[in-house]
Amino acid sequence: MSVQERKERERAERERLIVATARELAEQQGWDAVTTRKLAERIEYSQPVLYSHFRGKREIIGAVALRGAAEMAVAMRAATAAAEGPRARVGALARAYLDFAARHPAVYDALFQLDGGLAYAQEDTPEPLKDAFAALLECLGEVSGDAVDPGLFTEVFWASLHGVVTLTRAGRLRPEDSEARVELLVDRLAVV
């Protein structure tokens, strides 16, 4: 291995460590607790080293979001692959999405609530975000109905899931009705 390859590998590992530490800190204490000073202390590197990887917290949030989008896409695809039939796949997709949001609230915030400097629904949208949307579309496209654009239907279904996540986290919805909400979304929105 050349010196250049070793340096690139070390740089990539430092970047992974920064992102993983930021995510861990955000999951434990919230995004307000994530500062370059705290990150530098936790990973035992100087703040200038952090700034050699990321210009600031916004870019770190974006990096957490991109990794989270990839994880979310895997979780949704795994859930839908294990389900048989369109209706079961849509229900599994909804449950996987809601479960991911509940288990990883800081990642969910990085993806959909905070400014990570990422473009959504545009030509320059990063691949992990496109792939997470594609994971939704793969399942929902088959139940959108003949007269409805599958992409538009996916956006509306996704917005419904996001609303459920947001209202649940804010304590505005009764927890005992979570499964009934999924069933209602599947029954009323999906053409199966």
Side-chain angles (χ1 to χ4, degrees):
M1 174 183 301
S2 73
V3 172
Q4 181 64 28
E5 290 171 330
R6 182 182 53 76
K7 284 183 178 185
E8 287 174 13
R9 189 183 71 217
E10 288 171 355
R11 179 171 175 76
E13 185 53 41
R14 260 193 324 271
E15 188 171 304
R16 278 190 293 279
L17 178 61
I18 293 166
V19 173
T21 303
R23 177 179 176 165
E24 179 183 305
L25 186 57
E27 292 290 4
Q28 292 170 353
Q29 301 176 29
W31 278 104
D32 287 342
V34 179
T35 64
T36 54
R37 186 172 49 82
K38 278 189 183 177
L39 285 175
E41 288 171 6
R42 281 206 174 192
I43 65 171
E44 298 177 346
Y45 283 103
S46 67
Q47 284 181 294
V49 170
L50 265 72
Y51 286 116
S52 74
H53 289 273
F54 300 100
R55 287 182 285 200
K57 183 175 177 176
R58 181 180 187 219
E59 285 189 4
I60 293 169
I61 290 169
V64 169
L66 292 176
R67 286 188 174 88
E71 290 173 22
M72 181 181 257
V74 167
M76 290 187 298
R77 285 189 175 107
T80 58
E84 199 165 310
R87 186 182 194 295
R89 279 191 290 279
V90 173
L93 175 82
R95 287 180 199 90
Y97 184 97
L98 297 172
D99 181 60
F100 184 91
R103 286 186 302 111
H104 307 289
V107 174
Y108 192 85
D109 285 348
L111 273 163
F112 303 120
Q113 304 288 75
L114 302 173
D115 179 9
L118 303 173
Y120 285 77
Q122 297 175 25
E123 286 294 319
D124 60 340
T125 297
E127 278 308 311
L129 298 178
K130 287 180 180 178
D131 189 51
F133 186 79
L136 290 164
L137 181 61
E138 289 161 11
C139 176
L140 296 170
E142 68 179 322
V143 296
S144 61
D146 294 334
V148 178
D149 172 55
L152 182 60
F153 177 78
T154 300
E155 289 175 348
V156 171
F157 198 93
W158 172 29
S160 298
L161 290 173
H162 178 70
V164 169
V165 168
T166 302
L167 293 169
T168 299
R169 288 173 65 183
R172 304 295 198 271
L173 300 176
R174 295 184 306 224
E176 64 270 17
D177 290 337
S178 61
E179 183 58 28
R181 278 186 211 94
V182 169
E183 292 300 318
L184 186 61
L185 277 171
V186 172
D187 288 343
R188 301 299 173 144
L189 290 180
V191 177
V192 251

